[in-house]
Amino acid sequence: MCWLHQDELEQMIRELFIHQLRGRGVPRIEGIAGAPFSIYHGEVSGDSDDPVECCWPVPDDQADEIAARFPDLTLRTEPAHQEAFVRQEGPGRWRSGTQVEIAIETLFAWASEQQRQPFGGVRSVLIPNPADQGAGPDCEFAVSLR
């Protein structure tokens, strides 16, 4: 977990996910369950640097070996849970900070309407999109639910 301002976020995630993990052949789980994600444990903006946790799901049977290769990273197991999510309308990035804020507010409003309690921070999930080569992954925002 690291403390980041908004302008540092993209470069740090690119360095960790693409150069360190994918570039060094770290396997991950297939499908949406294996999508890398970041958990925002507070507000990350130009004025605020709260903690961000970057996560790369790996196969259970390879987790200890992967952890040994990357001693500066933390291996943890997350218990099964449900999530509510909002996916962007088209491929690539969300178009504006306002659009992101609305998406996150919508998640919390929906959870409240359903009498569900979000926990653990807002997640930004990077979903590989093989149909849109070169545009980068699609993104959804999610919250874990109790």
Side-chain angles (χ1 to χ4, degrees), residues 7-146:
D7 59 344
E8 302 167 307
L9 189 60
E10 186 174 342
Q11 180 60 35
M12 191 280 306
I13 289 174
R14 180 177 284 130
E15 175 63 30
L16 178 62
F17 286 158
I18 296 173
H19 299 287
Q20 283 191 32
L21 299 175
R22 189 178 76 186
R24 291 173 66 187
V26 175
R28 60 183 185 87
I29 301 166
E30 290 297 319
I32 189 73
F37 61 96
S38 300
I39 304 173
Y40 300 87
H41 294 282
E43 182 181 348
V44 176
S45 68
D47 299 326
S48 176
D49 64 340
D50 278 332
V52 177
E53 181 179 5
C54 296
C55 304
W56 183 275
V58 298
D60 287 338
D61 62 343
Q62 297 176 40
D64 290 333
E65 182 269 324
I66 293 167
R69 284 178 47 202
F70 297 92
D72 55 328
L73 301 180
T74 302
L75 177 64
R76 70 175 176 86
T77 301
E78 194 168 80
H81 61 272
Q82 293 181 330
E83 291 183 351
F85 67 92
V86 175
R87 188 169 292 175
Q88 65 198 43
E89 291 180 24
R93 302 173 188 223
W94 290 78
R95 289 184 283 264
S96 71
T98 302
Q99 194 179 39
V100 170
E101 289 176 27
I102 291 170
I104 292 170
E105 287 173 9
T106 300
L107 283 172
F108 283 96
W110 181 89
S112 178
E113 290 169 8
Q114 303 301 310
Q115 299 178 343
R116 302 291 302 268
Q117 182 179 359
F119 71 96
V122 174
R123 295 166 182 243
S124 172
V125 184
L126 303 175
I127 304 162
N129 183 348
D132 198 10
Q133 292 295 325
D138 292 347
C139 178
E140 69 184 29
F141 289 97
V143 291
S144 300
L145 301 170
R146 287 194 178 131

